[in-house]
Amino acid sequence: DGEYRHSVLVDSVEPTIDRVTLTPRGRVRRLLVAADTIAVVNDTADGRFELVRYDAPTWTAQPVWSGTRRPEAVALDGTTLVMSAAGRVMQHTLGGGRRTLTTLRNPVAALATDGTRLVLLERINVPVGRRRAPYTSIRLLRLHTATSTTRRRP
């Protein structure tokens, strides 16, 4: 516990490495690093998990999510953070807040994003004769962006 040190590239125009010191609340379970964003999944002292993002240049902690189970999958690209927990796939953008993209009945195997699209691998069981066989379903979703023209239903 205590401080967690990690070096990140904080300026993509002038490639200089700057040391950033993060102090998460509890043990770090997962660390994701992009050019100007760091995401940390940690378990807190009260038995809960939380996902916190740190953005350049201030690197202050911004809580994104907390729950009793560790997130199934987390992906980070630039300023877009995508996570899956408790059957929901959620997106968090810098200044845009958190929004649910879809709800699933099956566990998520992996997530990947390029900032505009999301690839989701979902574990499913398909009936084969009298039993069920495990398969992985691949979904491609469009992410919500600040310039998106899609409208939400009222």
Side-chain angles (χ1 to χ4, degrees), residues 4-154:
Y4 189 86
R5 296 184 179 271
H6 192 81
S7 297
V8 295
L9 181 68
V10 296
D11 187 358
S12 58
V13 176
E14 182 181 316
T16 58
I17 301 294
D18 189 18
R19 179 154 312 260
V20 176
T21 302
L22 307 178
T23 54
R25 299 181 327 137
R27 292 185 62 172
V28 173
R29 295 297 182 181
R30 184 132 191 226
L31 176 73
L32 294 97
V33 179
D36 291 336
T37 304
I38 299 174
V40 177
V41 175
N42 57 358
D43 57 355
T44 60
D46 59 354
R48 296 180 60 86
F49 291 92
E50 70 178 0
L51 174 62
V52 180
R53 72 181 291 157
Y54 300 85
D55 293 293
T58 61
W59 302 108
T60 56
Q62 180 182 3
V64 173
W65 173 88
S66 69
T68 57
R69 290 185 173 174
R70 185 175 1 178
E72 295 169 337
V74 181
L76 175 66
D77 179 72
T79 59
T80 301
L81 177 64
V82 182
M83 63 161 299
S84 169
R88 295 185 312 165
V89 178
M90 295 167 275
Q91 173 189 6
H92 189 276
T93 56
L94 181 62
R98 188 179 73 201
R99 91 178 343 160
T100 300
L101 298 173
T102 188
T103 304
L104 305 171
R105 291 186 299 185
N106 300 303
V108 172
L111 295 172
T113 183
D114 65 356
T116 59
R117 297 168 295 184
L118 169 69
V119 176
L120 179 139
L121 280 73
E122 179 183 13
R123 294 186 181 119
I124 59 173
N125 290 314
V126 177
V128 177
R130 293 183 181 195
R131 61 184 187 91
R132 299 180 76 77
Y135 285 90
T136 300
S137 168
I138 300 173
R139 293 186 186 192
L140 180 64
L141 301 172
R142 182 169 305 279
L143 295 176
H144 298 279
T145 61
T147 59
S148 177
T149 58
T150 57
R151 298 180 69 199
R152 296 182 77 182
R153 288 186 215 161

